[in-house]
């Protein structure tokens, strides 16, 4: 009832003590296509669903390398995400220039959160409409953080954001206790399974998802399509059960993927394009 | 990049270029080619035309086609693509010898080309070692140790050689 009266400015409180503009910004995150992250003691994996505007266009880049030890996956207004990635890259470079050592993930995340907070307290600005899953490795281990448009940030063992992320979250909640000791390949497989949950019936192919890994002795990099497709084939043959790690380089045929009905994509909000 | 001069400026310049290289890689998804870095180095040096980096540089690397190239600089950024070069202390001793070994025989034969006969890798490394061993004899500042960086299609390799310790 009161929502529409107090939601014009980001600098206007509602009588209930809420900033609606900030909350609307968080809605924008929910409109973006799904993005998930999970970590073990030594590795962090990010995955996202690539939704292209049409068959003619390319899909948007949602996973960015920030430094050798940090990467970020975004959901929401991709343009805002790109700008923030550029900021993060600069911060890492500057820190490295001054201290000749990699920027600790926790520090970067706080700087990012402070930057977001500024936009919630200036009348001439608007909050960033993007949620960021920051994956990184530093001296204190592997980390996964979620940065909100509100300026809040949280550390997670595993998380999912974007549209239909609840399905992925449910899957992750069932399994997260095992993640800490998972091997790298198991972690990637879990990531792919979680992504598949968000697709709700659509076949999981490497052309519609992107996976990136960072870990001990492994700088942040995005896995190429072939590797991802091989891993998908491997576990689809094993079946729906979460069995022991199948060989990721199983040279199996592609016909293993079960065709499940026509996919009715719910329209993604135009702003995510 | 090999640099000679004021050590702190050399270090600062190297760090600056390394940071710019990282930014380039983020933006273009590939490594910088040597000619691109050559221009960047020149611009970076000239930027401080009125408070220069006290650094005398030689840049070496591969261009976009994978061919080797060498660029030589002064302290404020004027640069030239050459077949060979030397800078810093001892260069006055080394450069004439390199000219003798590598330059095209007749300066009347235009255009005068450097490094007419391309050396094999092993020959080039041997030449470098010879040249520094000789320079160490007469130049008081040259000596102790030599670091050779070899860049080819397989990657980057480093070799070390001891020089006269006096």
């Amino acid at each position: 009832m009161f929502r529409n009266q107090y939601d014009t400015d980001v600098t206007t409180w509602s009588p209930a003590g809420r900033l609606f503009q900030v909350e609307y910004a968080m809605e924008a995150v929910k409109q973006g296509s799904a993005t998930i992250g999970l970590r073990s003691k030594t590795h962090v994996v990010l995955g996202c669903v690539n939704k292209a505007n049409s068959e003619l266009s390319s899909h948007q880049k949602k996973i960015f390398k920030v430094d050798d030890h940090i990467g970020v996956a975004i959901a929401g207004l991709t343009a805002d995400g790109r700008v923030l990635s550029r900021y993060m890259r600069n911060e890492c470079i500057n820190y490295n220039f001054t201290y000749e050592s990699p920027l600790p993930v926790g520090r970067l995340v706080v700087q990012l959160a402070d930057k977001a907070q500024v936009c919630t307290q200036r009348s001439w600005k608007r909050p960033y409409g993007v949620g960021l899953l920051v994956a990184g490795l530093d001296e204190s281990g592997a980390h996964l953080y979620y940065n909100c448009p509100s300026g809040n940030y949280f550390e997670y063992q595993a998380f999912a954001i974007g549209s239909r992320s609840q399905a992925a979250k449910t899957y992750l909640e069932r399994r997260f206790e095992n993640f800490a000791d998972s091997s790298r390949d198991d972690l990637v497989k879990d990531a792919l399974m979680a992504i598949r949950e968000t697709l709700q019936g659509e076949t999981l192919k490497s052309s519609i998802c992107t996976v990136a890994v960072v870990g001990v002795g492994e700088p942040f990099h995005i896995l190429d399509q072939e590797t991802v497709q091989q891993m998908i084939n491997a576990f689809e043959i094993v079946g729906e059960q979460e069995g022991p790690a199948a060989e990721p380089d199983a040279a199996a045929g592609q016909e293993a993927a079960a065709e499940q009905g026509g996919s009715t994509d719910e329209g993604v909000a135009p702003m995510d394009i | 990049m090999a640099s000679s001069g004021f050590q702190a400026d050399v270090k600062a310049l190297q760090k600056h270029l390394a940071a710019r290289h990282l930014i380039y890689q983020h933006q273009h998804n590939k490594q910088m080619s040597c000619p691109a870095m050559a221009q960047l180095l020149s611009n970076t040096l000239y930027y401080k035309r009125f408070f220069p980096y006290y650094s005398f540089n030689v840049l070496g690397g591969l261009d976009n086609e994978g061919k080797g190239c060498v660029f030589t600089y002064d302290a404020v950024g004027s640069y030239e693509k050459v077949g060979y070069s030397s800078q810093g202390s001892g260069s006055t001793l080394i450069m004439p010898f390199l000219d003798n070994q590598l330059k095209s025989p007749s300066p009347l034969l235009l255009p005068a080309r450097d490094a007419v006969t391309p050396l094999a890798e092993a020959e080039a490394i041997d030449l470098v070692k010879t040249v520094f061993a000789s320079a160490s004899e007469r130049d008081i500042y040259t000596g102790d140790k030599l670091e050779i960086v070899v860049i080819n299609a397989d990657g980057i390799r480093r070799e070390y050689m001891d020089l006269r310790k006096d």
Side-chain angles (χ1 to χ4, degrees), chain A residues 67 69-70 88 91-92 95 101-105 107-108 111 138:
Chain A
D67 204 343
H69 66 299
I70 302 181
M88 290 165 81
E91 290 302 302
C92 284
Y95 186 94
S101 69
L103 176 57
V105 194
R107 297 261 190 108
L108 178 61
Q111 283 174 264
D138 58 25

Side-chain angles (χ1 to χ4, degrees), chain A residues 61 65-68 86 89-90 93 96-100, chain B residues 11-12 14-20 22-23 26-27 29:
Chain A
K61 210 166 141 183
K65 175 168 174 166
V66 168
D67 204 343
D68 283 337
R86 204 182 322 142
R89 284 170 177 167
N90 276 333
I93 289 174
N96 208 327
F97 189 96
T98 313
Y99 299 102
E100 297 246 332
Chain B
K11 179 92 185 173
Q14 283 174 353
K15 286 174 76 160
H16 183 103
L17 290 177
R20 291 297 299 268
L22 201 49
I23 293 172
H26 281 146
Q27 290 177 341
N29 252 344

Side-chain angles (χ1 to χ4, degrees), chain A residues 199-216:
Chain A
L199 294 172
Q200 287 183 350
E202 207 182 314
T203 331
L204 177 64
K205 297 187 287 259
S206 64
S207 55
I208 55 166
C209 68
T210 308
V211 180
V213 186
V214 63
V216 173

